[in-house]
Every structure is written in structure tokens, then in C-alpha cells.
């Protein structure tokens, strides 16, 4: 007589499968879940690679058109038009490439939220002042880095690129796709920090990497606090508008210490900026730690 094999109840089989998923293949699958560290490097590669490809294509076009490599020889308005076109093409390619990669890796869920109800004028004013404050705090470090080299032209097309294209594309990519994807897996604080660094590295030049990373912390906090892309796009546009005004008035790379004649006044401003930065940083971190992940809400 054959010995019958004991049957395992369905509930026990399901429990065993769950345990295996947690300790074995399930753990492996979780490690491969989007976004991994490799995914973040791939997204950064897409961002930097698209800019290199478009820039190389532009250089070849300039050579074939007989203009050579010297962009500075172009009229400021014409240069502004060219740079706006290049920026629009490169960032469109970046956004499309990142969204395609995200979908191919199984990324799901909303990646950008727009809410008019999330607009908070007081929060935007505080964030705008804080951006100026951290710029002052970073001045001693920025003096040790190579001077920022930007030649984006002048006029309508430059304004369009800086005040419209940049806030829309960069916020959709960095706060929309990157921050939202990281938050769903790693939590609010990690997403806030990593997406800010991603934002900084995307800008390329050392001075911009540091400055943009810190500004990215402020923009990331505003997005998380308001749950609205409108807030960060408006804030980003205001910051770039001020940068453009400084550039056209000949103060593009000027530091506050160079503009304030009284050293005593500068020290007082620096202390105030440092205090505002420290208190605001602590309050942001404390608030973000209390936020829940989308899956946990």
C-alpha cells in the first residue's frame, strides 16, 4: 500500500510563500525594485548624456554653417535664441528618456502633482528669502571653486529659457520623477536628499553643483510641503529671473562681500543668513521626518 503524502492547507502554503518572499526571492526582487542605485546612475547618465549629444550636434551644425566654435562671436540675441533651442531640445530628450526608462524598469504611480490649493504665498516668500540666505552662507566655499562660466545670450529667448523652460523641465525631472520615485521606495528624507544632489549634479559646473544642490533642498521641501509642482516652478522661475537681472547688469558672478562696502555690515548679514539657514534646515528636517510615504499613508 502506498503511503499518502500529507496535504498542506492552503493557508499554510500562502504563509510559507510569504516567508520565502521576505527571506529569499522576494528580498532579491525588492533589491531590484525601481529605483536602485544603478537606476539613479542611469537616470543621471541620461540627463548628462542627452546634453552632450545635443551640444555635440550643435557644434557640428555651427561648423557646417561656417560659424566655427566661437559662440562668443555671435550677437547676444542670436546666441540667446540658439541656447534656448538647444536647451529645449536637450531637456525634452532628457525628460522623455527618463520617463521611458522609468516605465521600462517597472516604475509606476503618479510622478508629478499639480494643485492650485497647494500654493502658499507665505511659504514661497520664506523659501525665496532662504535661497538668498544660503547663497550668502556658501560664499566662502564658492570663492575656492572655479568661477562660473555661463554664456546664454540676452533678450527674449534667454528669458524664456531661464524663466520658463528651466523651471518646467528641471522640476518635472528632479522633483517630479526623481523625488517621487525615491520617496515611494526609500522614504521622504532620503528622497529629499538624493533628489537635491541629483539636481545639483545635473548642472555640471562645480559651483553650480553645490549651489543647485542646496537650492534643491529648498525646492524639494516646498514640493513635499505643498504637493504641487506649481509652487516649485514659480519659485524656480523667480530665482532664475533674479539671476538673469544680475547677469545683464554685470553682476552675474558677484558675491555679496564684493557689493557691500562695510565689512561690519557684511558680517551682520552673514550671521543673520547663517542663523536663518540653520533654523530653517532644522525645521525642514523635523517636518519631513513626520511625513508618511505614499504607500504608508
Amino acid at each position: 500500500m502506498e503511503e499518502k503524502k500529507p496535504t498542506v492547507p492552503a493557508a499554510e502554503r500562502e504563509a510559507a510563500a510569504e516567508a520565502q518572499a521576505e527571506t529569499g526571492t522576494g528580498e532579491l526582487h525588492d533589491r531590484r525594485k525601481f529605483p536602485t542605485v544603478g537606476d539613479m546612475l542611469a537616470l543621471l547618465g541620461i540627463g548628462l548624456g542627452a546634453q552632450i549629444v545635443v551640444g555635440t550636434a550643435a557644434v557640428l551644425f555651427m561648423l557646417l554653417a561656417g560659424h566655427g566654435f566661437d559662440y562668443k562671436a555671435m550677437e547676444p540675441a542670436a546666441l540667446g535664441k540658439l541656447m534656448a533651442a538647444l536647451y529645449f531640445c536637450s531637456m525634452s530628450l532628457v525628460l522623455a528618456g527618463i520617463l521611458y526608462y522609468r516605465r521600462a524598469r517597472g516604475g509606476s504611480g503618479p510622478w508629478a502633482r499639480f494643485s492650485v490649493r497647494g500654493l502658499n504665498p507665505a511659504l514661497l516668500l520664506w523659501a525665496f528669502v532662504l535661497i538668498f540666505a544660503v547663497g550668502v552662507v556658501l560664499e566662502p566655499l564658492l570663492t575656492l571653486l572655479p568661477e562660473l562660466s555661463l554664456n546664454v545670450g540676452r533678450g527674449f529667448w534667454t528669458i524664456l529659457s531661464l524663466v520658463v523652460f528651466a523651471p518646467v523641465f528641471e522640476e518635472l525631472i528632479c522633483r517630479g520623477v526623481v523625488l517621487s520615485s525615491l520617496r515611494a521606495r526609500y522614504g521622504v528624507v532620503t528622497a529629499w536628499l538624493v533628489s537635491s544632489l541629483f539636481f545639483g549634479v545635473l548642472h555640471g559646473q562645480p559651483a553650480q553643483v553645490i549651489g543647485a544642490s542646496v537650492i534643491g533642498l529648498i525646492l524639494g521641501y516646498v514640493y513635499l510641503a505643498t504637493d504641487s509642482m506649481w509652487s516649485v516652478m514659480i519659485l524656480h522661475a523667480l530665482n532664475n529671473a533674479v539671476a538673469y537681472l544680475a547677469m545683464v547688469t554685470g553682476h552675474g558672478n558677484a558675491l555679496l562681500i564684493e557689493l557691500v562696502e562695510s565689512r561690519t555690515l557684511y558680517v551682520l548679514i552673514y550671521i543673520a543668513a547663517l542663523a536663518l539657514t540653520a533654523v530653517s534646515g532644522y525645521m525642514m528636517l523635523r517636518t519631513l521626518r513626520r511625513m508618511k510615504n505614499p504607500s504608508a499613508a
Side-chain angles (χ1 to χ4, degrees):
M1 178 180 294
E2 295 183 359
E3 182 180 356
K4 293 184 178 180
K5 296 182 180 179
T7 59
V8 180
E12 293 185 12
R13 289 199 303 269
E14 292 177 2
E18 290 179 0
Q20 183 180 6
E22 292 178 358
T23 59
T25 58
E27 183 181 349
L28 179 62
H29 175 73
D30 185 67
R31 288 200 299 266
R32 294 177 178 175
K33 183 181 177 182
F34 180 85
T36 62
V37 174
D39 290 327
M40 294 308 303
L41 293 176
L43 294 181
L44 188 60
I46 292 172
L48 298 177
Q51 296 181 62
I52 293 173
V53 169
V54 173
T56 303
V59 169
L60 294 176
F61 173 79
M62 294 286 288
L63 288 174
L64 293 176
H67 297 291
F69 289 102
D70 191 7
Y71 287 98
K72 296 181 180 180
M74 299 179 65
E75 292 292 328
L79 179 60
K81 190 172 184 179
L82 173 63
M83 290 301 176
L86 293 178
Y87 183 85
F88 183 85
C89 292
S90 63
M91 296 310 288
S92 295
L93 190 60
V94 172
L95 180 58
I98 283 178
L99 288 176
Y100 177 81
Y101 181 90
R102 176 180 182 267
R103 182 176 180 182
R105 282 283 292 117
S108 59
W111 56 272
R113 298 179 183 274
F114 291 84
S115 172
V116 177
R117 291 180 300 175
L119 292 176
N120 185 334
L123 179 64
L124 293 180
L125 178 60
W126 161 81
F128 186 72
V129 173
L130 183 57
I131 288 175
F132 173 78
V134 298
V136 174
V137 173
L138 289 175
E139 280 193 354
L141 176 60
L142 297 180
T143 58
L144 304 176
L145 301 174
E147 188 173 277
L148 188 62
S149 176
L150 289 177
N151 193 8
V152 294
R154 301 288 189 276
F156 170 78
W157 289 100
T158 301
I159 296 173
L160 184 67
S161 179
L162 293 176
V163 181
V164 179
F165 293 164
V168 171
F169 281 113
E170 293 176 15
E171 293 309 316
L172 286 175
I173 292 168
C174 298
R175 253 59 65 183
V177 180
V178 175
L179 189 152
S180 297
S181 299
L182 286 168
R183 181 185 182 185
R185 181 176 181 192
Y186 298 105
V188 175
V189 175
T190 298
W192 177 57
L193 295 173
V194 175
S195 64
S196 301
L197 180 61
F198 185 95
F199 177 63
V201 175
L202 201 61
H203 283 75
Q205 298 189 52
Q208 278 189 307
V209 170
I210 294 175
S213 294
V214 177
I215 292 175
L217 293 173
I218 302 171
L219 292 170
Y221 173 81
V222 171
Y223 178 63
L224 290 166
T226 62
D227 204 28
S228 174
M229 296 299 300
W230 294 121
S231 298
V232 287
M233 287 180 178
I234 291 172
L235 189 59
H236 196 150
L238 289 173
N239 178 68
N240 284 8
V242 172
Y244 177 77
L245 289 176
M247 182 174 62
V248 297
T249 56
H251 300 93
N253 291 325
L255 302 176
L256 184 65
I257 192 172
E258 301 170 349
L259 301 177
V260 177
E261 296 181 358
S262 172
R263 184 56 60 90
T264 301
L265 177 59
Y266 174 78
V267 171
L268 292 175
I269 294 175
Y270 190 91
I271 292 174
L274 183 61
L276 176 61
T277 300
V279 173
S280 297
Y282 170 76
M283 295 300 294
M284 285 191 294
L285 185 59
R286 192 177 73 169
T287 301
L288 293 175
R289 282 177 172 171
R290 293 200 300 261
M291 290 185 180
K292 294 181 179 181
N293 299 336
S295 58

